[in-house]
Amino acid sequence: MRAEGRVVGAPLVVDGVTHSITCVSMGNPHCVLFVDDTATAPVHTLGPRIETDPFFPKKVNVEFIQLLETAPASRLRMRVWERGSGETAACGTGACAAAVAAVLTGRGRRTVEIELLGGNLQIEWRESDGHVAMTGPATEVFSGEIEI
């Protein structure tokens, strides 16, 4: 991204509208936005606009996060726009990024449950070593073969 240091609750103007964003790297780039309701969040319109915004020269994953209880919340709901793919049912690194962004902005606890379209994940950002741990199911959604 085109910034130095942490980007926490920073303004990003897209199509004349200012959005508050928090950016986190989980080995891949994430831009987290907190919304009132993920069901009505503009995932399919704002997601691709942020993904390709000049602020993110290598593109970015975009997470839309709803608190499911009063901050600091231990339960969040998430929808994700993945760079190069569009909306996906789940994203492990995105859930980790959302949990970290929630802590950085004072909205979440260090251990949270995140509801995604594809199922729930438990995320812990450990204070002891700074590592982020994810627990949840893994489901095969596709298999195939290609002849080369």
Side-chain angles (χ1 to χ4, degrees):
M1 66 185 172
R2 294 201 165 137
E4 295 294 325
R6 285 188 171 179
V7 175
V8 177
L12 178 69
V13 179
V14 178
D15 296 331
V17 178
T18 302
H19 302 276
S20 177
I21 64 168
T22 297
C23 297
V24 179
S25 174
M26 290 292 139
N28 58 344
H30 295 271
C31 176
V32 178
L33 292 90
F34 292 91
V35 298
D36 292 332
D37 184 1
T38 57
T40 59
V43 176
H44 291 272
T45 54
L46 185 57
R49 293 288 294 122
I50 292 176
E51 173 194 6
T52 60
D53 190 276
F55 186 70
F56 304 103
K58 295 183 179 180
K59 300 188 180 179
V60 70
N61 298 301
V62 185
E63 284 78 29
F64 296 83
I65 307 301
Q66 174 185 349
L67 303 183
L68 296 178
E69 56 194 35
T70 305
S74 61
R75 293 178 46 245
L76 310 172
R77 183 172 293 137
M78 176 177 119
R79 287 177 66 191
V80 59
W81 181 269
E82 289 199 61
R83 65 180 176 166
S85 297
E87 185 174 17
T88 58
C91 177
T93 59
C96 292
V100 169
V103 172
L104 291 175
T105 61
R107 291 178 170 95
R109 299 183 183 276
R110 284 188 168 266
T111 299
V112 294
E113 179 173 6
I114 300 186
E115 296 179 7
L116 300 104
L117 298 174
N120 293 3
L121 294 171
Q122 286 70 46
I123 309 296
E124 179 186 10
W125 184 18
R126 295 191 303 240
E127 202 162 3
S128 61
D129 61 10
H131 291 180
V132 180
M134 174 177 57
T135 305
T139 305
E140 183 175 344
V141 294
F142 179 82
S143 65
E145 294 180 23
I146 186 169
E147 195 171 312
I148 298 179

